[in-house]
Amino acid sequence: MVRDQDALGWHIHVRFEQHRVDCATCGGVRVERLDWLADNPRYTRRLARQVGLLCRDMTNKACAQLLHLHEATVKELDKRFMQEWLARTPTPAPRALGIDELSVRKGHTYRVVISDLERGRVLWIGGEGRKEVDVAPFFAALGSRKAAKIELAVMDMWPAFRNAVTAAAPQARIVYDKFHILRHLSTAMDEVRRE
């Protein structure tokens, strides 16, 4: 155990050593398994869980400053926490979907965002654009049984989203969001006024 002192006081930095044992049966090397230790021997499962819970309410940078950890360590622990949480949480069978695109950077680079409108949570973010093929992986992961339970899909008037939903869930009613409808109505009214 090594102690370092900084302006805030004493910090204890620990690296847990796992014992390595030569196996007499197979001739290989066995490593001691410690249940309370995470995959990385530099932190415990309890610390990894605490970092993940803190990152739900604050940024990775703020969490790193609070716990006196490196930002890259906090980011890795947060990603592991989210992966474990997703593995324990089954994908629900949504009845009402919201489909929209998210601009990632300039130059028309998009990701598709699909949300469960009843539960108020994002189900999926993916794709490399906003075409039908970008939405298809969501429905493939959802499965035909859960897709058959979709009753409503809310989206903008982008034809690719409508086509993807009607192909995977033909029973779903499609509702266009009012922002796009009002924009088209406003454009039509302007044209009528000009005439």
Side-chain angles (χ1 to χ4, degrees), residues 123-142:
L123 294 176
W124 187 79
I125 298 175
E128 294 294 321
R130 52 185 192 154
K131 300 177 183 168
E132 287 180 56
V133 295
D134 297 312
V135 181
F138 166 75
F139 287 109
L142 188 65

Side-chain angles (χ1 to χ4, degrees), residues 154-169:
V154 180
M155 64 188 75
D156 57 17
M157 298 175 135
W158 190 246
F161 293 162
R162 185 185 65 240
N163 295 340
V165 169
T166 53

Side-chain angles (χ1 to χ4, degrees), residues 4-80:
D4 287 336
Q5 186 178 17
D6 67 0
L8 296 175
W10 291 92
H11 297 283
I12 300 174
H13 300 280
V14 179
R15 180 181 175 132
F16 301 102
E17 296 294 331
Q18 295 171 301
H19 293 100
R20 298 167 62 91
V21 181
D22 293 329
C23 181
T25 309
C26 68
V29 177
R30 302 279 182 173
V31 179
E32 177 183 29
R33 178 78 182 123
L34 302 174
D35 292 336
W36 50 271
L37 199 58
D39 297 333
N40 186 331
R42 295 185 183 274
Y43 51 84
T44 62
R45 289 181 190 267
R46 189 171 162 193
L47 174 65
R49 186 176 190 296
Q50 183 64 31
V51 168
L53 291 173
L54 285 173
C55 286
R56 293 174 73 178
D57 297 324
M58 61 177 57
T59 64
N60 288 354
K61 184 176 182 178
C63 181
Q65 289 173 347
L66 178 70
L67 297 177
H68 304 288
L69 295 171
H70 194 273
E71 270 189 73
T73 304
V74 170
K75 184 177 180 179
E76 181 183 333
L77 291 173
D78 187 28
K79 286 194 321 192
R80 286 177 185 242

Side-chain angles (χ1 to χ4, degrees), residues 95 97 150-155 165 169-176:
R95 292 187 316 152
L97 290 180
I150 297 172
E151 298 174 10
L152 182 70
V154 180
M155 64 188 75
V165 169
Q171 77 288 348
R173 288 180 293 149
I174 294 175
V175 176
Y176 296 123

